[in-house]
């Protein structure tokens, strides 16, 4: 058998030799050799063994549906006291005007409520509790008026009190409730306004 080598002329670029580059010998850089060389198989397998696929794990998820709830917290709670405290209530002493206000039988008017509502602080819910409102009723006053502010919630609570309990809606009762709930500054201011 004789092998016939034909010279092939083409305008295509030659591709690099196939197989192991160490086997290519007698390469003259001046002469391009377009003859096909027999392929020599590499004794070392180049194919990597496929890694075994991990078995699927069973994952479980807990789903908790919470509805009609308020104040839910998931995670840690951090409380920072930055020293912004209100005046202690002990600094305001009972004066003669305050004692006179405690005994007053003047009916509570809308103007009194508007004045007092602007001076009641963060413990405004204590006023509602001392007026025998339930926590739910107090919270409802806040929810109904939270877009406007606490001042409006206090105003509506006191207005509701005067309408539903007119026999007790006197300045004396209001002043005692404010004093007992820790809102002493509004009592001092109201006594100065009423008894000039």
């Amino acid at each position: 058998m004789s092998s016939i080598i034909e010279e092939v002329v083409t305008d295509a670029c030659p591709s690099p030799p196939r197989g192991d580059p160490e086997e290519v010998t007698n390469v003259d850089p001046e002469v391009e050799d377009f003859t096909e060389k027999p392929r020599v198989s590499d004794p070392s397998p180049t194919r990597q063994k496929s890694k075994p696929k991990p078995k699927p794990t069973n994952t479980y998820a807990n789903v908790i549906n919470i509805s009609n709830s308020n104040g839910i917290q998931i995670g840690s709670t951090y409380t920072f006291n930055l020293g912004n405290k209100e005046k202690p209530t002990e600094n305001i002493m009972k004066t003669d005007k305050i004692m006179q206000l405690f005994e007053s039988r003047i009916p509570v008017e809308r103007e009194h409520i508007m004045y007092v509502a602007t001076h009641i602080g963060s413990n405004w819910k204590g006023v509602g509790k001392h007026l025998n409102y339930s926590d739910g009723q107090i919270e409802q006053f806040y929810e109904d008026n939270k877009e406007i502010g606490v001042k409006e919630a206090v105003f509506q609570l006191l207005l509701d009190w005067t309408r539903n309990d007119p026999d007790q809606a006197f300045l004396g009762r209001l002043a005692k409730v404010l004093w007992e709930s820790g809102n002493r500054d509004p009592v001092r201011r109201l006594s100065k306004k009423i008894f000039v």
Side-chain angles (χ1 to χ4, degrees):
M1 280 199 219
S2 67
S3 67
I4 302 174
I5 299 176
E6 295 180 19
E7 189 171 325
V8 179
V9 178
T10 179
D11 61 347
C13 295
S15 61
R18 298 180 194 174
D20 194 6
E22 294 175 2
E23 292 180 2
V24 179
T25 58
N26 300 336
V27 177
D28 187 4
E30 300 289 326
V31 179
E32 293 183 25
D33 184 17
F34 292 107
T35 59
E36 189 174 324
K37 307 250 193 270
R39 290 187 185 180
V40 178
S41 63
D42 188 9
S44 65
T46 58
R47 209 188 260 176
Q48 294 179 350
K49 292 184 180 179
S50 62
K51 295 180 181 176
K53 293 183 181 178
K55 293 181 181 179
T57 58
N58 294 335
T59 55
Y60 297 98
N62 292 330
V63 177
I64 300 170
N65 291 325
I66 301 170
S67 60
N68 298 329
S69 56
N70 189 3
I72 294 176
Q73 175 194 339
I74 298 173
S76 301
T77 301
Y78 300 99
T79 304
F80 297 97
N81 185 354
L82 302 177
N84 188 10
K85 295 182 179 178
E86 293 184 20
K87 263 188 199 177
T89 55
E90 291 81 26
N91 290 346
I92 300 175
M93 303 301 290
K94 290 182 182 178
T95 62
D96 291 337
K97 288 183 180 180
I98 290 175
M99 293 302 289
Q100 192 176 357
L101 183 62
F102 285 160
E103 301 301 319
S104 174
R105 299 289 292 171
I106 300 172
V108 176
E109 300 291 330
R110 191 177 186 93
E111 294 78 26
H112 300 135
I113 296 172
M114 287 174 59
Y115 182 76
V116 167
T118 60
H119 297 288
I120 293 180
S122 61
N123 54 351
W124 68 274
K125 292 181 179 182
V127 175
K129 289 180 182 179
H130 279 82
L131 290 173
N132 296 323
Y133 282 91
S134 69
D135 289 338
Q137 290 172 314
I138 295 168
E139 191 64 34
Q140 195 61 50
F141 279 111
Y142 176 72
E143 287 295 322
D144 290 345
N145 300 289
K146 70 180 175 184
E147 292 175 3
I148 302 169
V150 173
K151 173 183 164 185
E152 185 63 24
V154 173
F155 177 80
Q156 291 298 329
L157 181 126
L158 292 176
L159 187 63
D160 185 73
W161 170 65
T162 59
R163 291 177 179 167
N164 291 322
D165 197 5
D167 297 338
Q168 293 294 317
F170 298 111
L171 285 179
R173 172 82 173 123
L174 177 61
K176 287 178 184 176
V177 164
L178 291 171
W179 190 268
E180 291 168 1
S181 65
N183 292 289
R184 295 183 178 184
D185 183 53
V187 174
R188 181 180 56 82
R189 291 174 184 268
L190 187 61
S191 68
K192 289 181 180 179
K193 184 176 173 83
I194 299 295
F195 303 109
V196 180

